[in-house]
Amino acid sequence: MAEKFDSLEEHLEKFVENIRQLGIIVSDFQPSSQTGLNQKLNFMVTGLQDIDKCRQQLHDISVPLEVFEYIDQGRNPQLYTKECLERALAKNEQVKGKIDTMK
Amino acid sequence: GTTELTGSTNLITHYNLEHAYNKFCGKKVKEKLSNFLPDLPGMIDLPGSHDSSSLRSLIEKPPICGSSFTPLTGAMLTGFRLHAGPLPEQCRLMHIQPPKKKNKHKHKQSRTQDPVPPGKGCRSHHPPPLQHRQSIGSSGTSASPETPSDSDHKKKKKKKEEDPERKRKKKEKKKKKNRHSPEHPGVGSSQASSSLR
């Protein structure tokens, strides 16, 4: 299970690094950089192909939409997991209290 | 009979989530996205709505594209021939790394380059137009782009020059540390101050 995530993570990291280097080339372009730029552009396409291939292995993985809210706000998505666990525990204790009272 | 799972059971234990609970709730989880993805370049702690890069907009309005990814041919690549020279300042944000916080001191957080006012120029959803084709053929040699170490070195140098306040505080800390070291005679006593004279 973890292997398919590792593979996707690796492809994404390589893709992001390639884009970052592309940005550096473009930010102060020199004519002699054209070959390198073309290579990076094609790496971008092959990177997307590799990421797309990972999709098939992960078709059964579901991500809650609420996590995207956290990411869009620039917040750590682990806070979502933390808050879910805390809410679950609080509700568990609340219900346990009710059951114990009724007993 | 069958044991019914009710709220009186500790569900965290039942579903073997103690490790997860201790990991996320046992210690402080840092607030920012850059703490979760420290190696991701760019200003990722800004809201996605800021520069139309939100995941929500991607889900609500997915881009219309083909089903396959085909490499760019030579003819297609001619469309990416650029003019030499630096980009305008507001477009040079992509390779800025968020500060890698090795120290916990709050005053050291302002390490990145000066933030450019967002929402203008190249940060809009319209990318800057590529320049016209140059008549110069490529020589086949590629210039080495700025390495991350070069830009980091410049950033560090600039940071040191701009922070005399930080130097002063560091000196004070060093003094305090020496005062309380076990090698120093009279720790905690009034003799400690006399050794500094």
Side-chain angles (χ1 to χ4, degrees), chain A residues 1-13 50-62:
Chain A
M1 170 95 167
E3 294 82 29
K4 48 189 178 183
F5 286 120
D6 290 341
S7 170
L8 175 65
E9 194 175 329
E10 194 184 320
H11 287 307
L12 285 169
E13 281 176 355
D50 293 337
I51 292 166
D52 193 49
K53 281 174 194 167
C54 293
R55 206 159 54 101
Q56 292 154 11
Q57 294 175 320
L58 298 163
H59 66 276
D60 56 337
I61 302 293
S62 300

Side-chain angles (χ1 to χ4, degrees), chain B residues 29-50:
Chain B
V29 175
K30 290 184 179 175
E31 179 71 25
K32 292 182 182 176
L33 186 57
S34 55
N35 296 124
F36 180 66
L37 297 168
D39 297 330
L40 207 61
M43 308 293 280
I44 62 172
D45 294 333
L46 295 175
S49 54
H50 215 72

